Amino acid sequence: ITAGGVSVRTSTQKAACQKNSNDSVIPVMTATSGSIPSAIMDMESGVSPDADGVAPAVNPKEAILMANEELNKPSLGERARTLAQLCDHGTLTTSSTRHGGWPFGSFVDYVLDDNGRPVFCLSYFAIHTANLQEDARCSLFLHPPSTSAQADSRVTLMGNCSEVEHEEVEELRGRFLSTHGHYGEVSNFNNFRFYR
């Protein structure tokens, strides 16, 4: 996958929006696991509404500390790459050629190249490979093993996926086999190709 977008949902917070007194929308953070105070904080005015929507005064030092905590958090891109490094398989979704472009999901193994892009070893005869040859747009959903799919972090990577250039294949094959040793028996066969 070489270009596209990222959608990240972390386990510690979710983004929200709130209108300020000027009726403009500003981003705020709300906590879902207790790592950030659960009140919504308007960083411009330094106030947070209580349950009744009344905005009591807030200690300015507290507001500054909270703002600094937000500034020191990893970016969405950093969080996405961390999740991609933690996982080694996910759900690759392609546009079905057999069913009029409907989403088609496949469980796939992957490794990351030096630029953090997922690389797959796909059979030439697989349905998802045929779908990619017709339409390179796809997404890759990643979720580390856990007990709750809703409470934990996950990421969806979106972009175009195409076959890797011949001169890169040997290096990527070694990297792939060091993570997914079970591919050793098939990766030299003519019907498997590396895609990124």
Side-chain angles (χ1 to χ4, degrees):
I1 301 179
T2 57
V6 177
S7 171
V8 182
R9 166 65 165 85
T10 65
S11 60
T12 57
Q13 73 254 349
K14 59 185 178 181
C17 284
Q18 171 185 330
K19 288 193 175 181
N20 64 14
S21 58
N22 299 329
D23 223 21
S24 61
V25 177
I26 57 172
V28 296
M29 301 302 290
T30 61
T32 58
S33 67
S35 62
I36 305 169
S38 58
I40 298 175
M41 175 62 68
D42 179 337
M43 300 312 270
E44 289 182 358
S45 64
V47 297
S48 60
D50 61 18
D52 298 324
V54 178
V58 172
N59 182 335
K61 287 183 181 178
E62 267 184 50
I64 291 169
L65 287 174
M66 288 178 63
N68 286 337
E69 283 181 21
E70 291 300 317
L71 290 174
N72 291 325
K73 287 186 179 176
S75 69
L76 288 178
E78 290 167 330
R79 294 179 200 178
R81 184 161 181 169
T82 299
L83 278 173
Q85 289 174 331
L86 290 173
C87 301
D88 61 8
H89 58 267
T91 303
L92 177 68
T93 303
T94 57
S95 298
S96 174
T97 57
R98 294 183 183 179
H99 302 287
W102 282 87
F104 180 85
S106 305
F107 184 82
V108 294
D109 294 321
Y110 73 90
V111 295
L112 298 179
D113 67 11
D114 290 336
N115 293 314
R117 298 173 295 186
V119 176
F120 315 102
C121 184
L122 305 178
S123 169
Y124 184 79
F125 300 109
I127 294 173
H128 48 247
T129 306
N131 292 342
L132 288 171
Q133 289 172 346
E134 193 70 28
D135 184 348
R137 294 174 302 164
C138 65
S139 68
L140 179 65
F141 175 76
L142 308 175
H143 182 270
S146 67
T147 56
S148 172
Q150 293 302 312
D152 291 328
S153 300
R154 60 243 188 218
V155 63
T156 297
L157 306 175
M158 296 168 279
N160 295 312
C161 187
S162 57
E163 191 170 347
V164 171
E165 297 292 329
H166 181 70
E167 55 270 13
E168 296 181 77
V169 167
E170 284 309 312
E171 188 272 329
L172 290 173
R173 178 178 284 125
R175 183 177 296 202
F176 205 90
L177 292 177
S178 68
T179 303
H180 305 288
H182 58 280
Y183 276 82
E185 298 177 5
V186 298
S187 63
N188 289 323
F189 290 179
N190 289 332
N191 66 328
F192 274 81
R193 304 282 191 277
F194 287 94
Y195 281 75
R196 173 169 45 218

